[in-house]
């Protein structure tokens, strides 16, 4: 018979497991499958209706890459599965729905009233163990951005971050709704002469899946897709997806 933890020890492990699942947005079903434990057994142990066995705890520790007994101490995490704490400690199974190609829309800096459209892809970086993004199909290709994705559990917001030689550029996005991901882009825009000035503007990212009518570049009034693009960008402020208080 497998040795069982004491009541106090089992309660402590259950609390730690619930914290890890919530922090990393992992499901109990996923943990049960990965740790080779029945979901019913895991549910009962987490609810305190039966104690954890030592063998089960060891398997769960291996899956989560963290010690569940005694002081918190990270073990060697499975490579490429969990993002760093600084990015939200998310696990790949919990964020796979974010991976894909997106049509990205924002107001144009160069032409007032026009919409600037380009592509953004989000994928998993196996070597570093976190999501990354990269832009493409921009008419100003020299300014195409690439960086990492931060997804903290505390707010649930999604950050696309570029850091280059000490300069930051951030897209702060809400979780996807019917119209895709919406939010604010914080960047630098060209001012007078060679001056760069801080700028904030609405941004929309819509999945390109099943779309065949995309237009990229500077899209002007009267051109194909302009009305749809304009409505998507205007919706960010009109429906309170982002605030620009005065």
């Amino acid at each position: 018979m497998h040795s069982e933890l004491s009541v106090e020890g089992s309660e402590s492990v259950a609390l730690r497991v619930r914290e890890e699942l919530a922090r990393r947005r992992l499901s109990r079903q996923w943990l049960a499958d990965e740790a080779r434990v029945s979901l019913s057994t895991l549910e009962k142990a987490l609810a305190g209706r039966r104690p954890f066995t030592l063998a089960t705890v060891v398997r769960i520790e291996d899956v989560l890459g963290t010690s569940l007994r005694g002081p918190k101490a990270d073990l060697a995490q499975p490579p490429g599965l969990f993002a760093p704490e600084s990015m939200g400690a998310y696990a790949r199974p919990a964020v796979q729905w974010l991976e894909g190609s997106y049509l990205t829309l924002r107001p144009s800096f160069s032409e007032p009233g026009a919409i600037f459209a380009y592509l953004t892809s989000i994928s998993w970086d196996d070597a570093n163990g976190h999501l990354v993004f990269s832009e493409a199909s921009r008419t100003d290709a020299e300014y195409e951005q690439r960086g990492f994705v931060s997804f903290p559990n505390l707010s649930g917001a999604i950050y696309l971050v570029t850091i280059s030689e000490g300069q930051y550029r951030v897209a702060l996005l809400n979780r996807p709704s019917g119209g895709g991901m919406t939010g604010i882009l914080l960047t630098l825009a060209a001012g007078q002469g060679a001056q760069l000035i801080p700028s904030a503007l609405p941004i929309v990212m819509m999945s390109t899946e099943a779309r065949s009518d995309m237009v990229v570049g500077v899209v002007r009034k009267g051109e194909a897709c302009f009305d749809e693009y304009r409505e998507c960008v205007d919706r960010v402020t009109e429906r309170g997806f982002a605030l620009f208080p005065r």
Side-chain angles (χ1 to χ4, degrees), residues 121-132:
S121 64
I122 297 178
S123 59
W124 189 266
D125 184 336
D126 288 313
N128 294 302
H130 58 77
L131 290 171
V132 294

Side-chain angles (χ1 to χ4, degrees), residues 107 174 181-185 200-204 229-246:
N174 300 301
M181 293 187 288
T182 56
I184 297 172
L185 176 64
L201 58 162
I203 187 171
V204 178
Y229 289 3
R230 182 79 260 175
E231 192 277 331
C232 287
V233 171
D234 289 345
R235 187 172 63 237
V236 176
T237 52
E238 290 174 355
R239 299 190 184 178
F241 291 117
L243 299 178
F244 297 87
R246 296 190 177 185

Side-chain angles (χ1 to χ4, degrees), residues 22-244:
R23 184 168 63 88
R24 303 180 187 188
R25 294 182 294 278
L26 296 169
S27 70
R28 294 184 178 188
Q29 183 65 67
W30 177 85
L31 180 60
D33 292 342
E34 293 296 314
R36 305 185 305 282
V37 180
S38 74
L39 180 60
S40 175
T41 297
L42 179 62
E43 293 278 12
K44 290 176 181 177
L46 291 177
R49 296 197 299 271
R50 65 177 297 172
F52 279 98
T53 65
L54 180 59
T56 296
V57 173
V58 169
R59 288 201 296 272
I60 293 175
E61 287 178 333
D62 287 342
V63 170
L64 295 178
T66 190
S67 175
L68 301 171
R69 295 161 290 167
K72 290 185 179 181
D74 287 339
L75 302 175
Q77 293 186 348
L81 181 59
F82 297 112
E85 289 279 354
S86 60
M87 297 180 192
Y90 53 80
R92 186 176 190 185
V95 296
Q96 280 185 311
W97 55 269
L98 256 178
E99 297 184 57
S101 177
Y102 296 86
L103 173 64
T104 306
L105 309 173
R106 64 165 175 78
S108 170
F109 282 123
S110 60
E111 297 187 33
I115 299 297
F116 191 43
Y118 52 94
L119 300 179
T120 303
S121 64
I122 297 178
S123 59
W124 189 266
D125 184 336
D126 288 313
N128 294 302
H130 58 77
L131 290 171
V132 294
F133 78 94
S134 60
E135 297 175 351
S137 299
R138 287 182 53 156
T139 52
D140 54 351
E142 67 271 24
Y143 296 113
E144 288 178 351
Q145 304 288 317
R146 55 186 51 84
F148 64 86
V149 179
S150 180
F151 199 169
N153 185 53
L154 207 57
S155 66
I158 302 163
Y159 299 77
L160 273 55
V161 185
T162 299
I163 304 176
S164 177
E165 298 179 349
Q167 295 190 84
Y168 285 69
R169 184 256 207 183
V170 179
L172 174 53
L173 304 163
N174 300 301
R175 284 174 175 269
S177 62
M181 293 187 288
T182 56
I184 297 172
L185 176 64
L186 304 175
T187 187
L188 294 172
Q192 296 181 351
Q195 183 181 9
L196 296 175
I197 55 176
S199 302
L201 58 162
I203 187 171
V204 178
M205 291 177 60
M206 301 186 297
S207 173
T208 61
E209 188 175 354
R211 287 191 67 109
S212 59
D213 58 342
M214 293 183 300
V215 175
V216 296
V218 178
V219 184
R220 305 166 182 86
K221 186 174 182 179
E223 296 180 343
C225 293
F226 174 82
D227 289 340
E228 177 196 1
Y229 289 3
R230 182 79 260 175
E231 192 277 331
C232 287
V233 171
D234 289 345
R235 187 172 63 237
V236 176
T237 52
E238 290 174 355
R239 299 190 184 178
F241 291 117
L243 299 178
F244 297 87

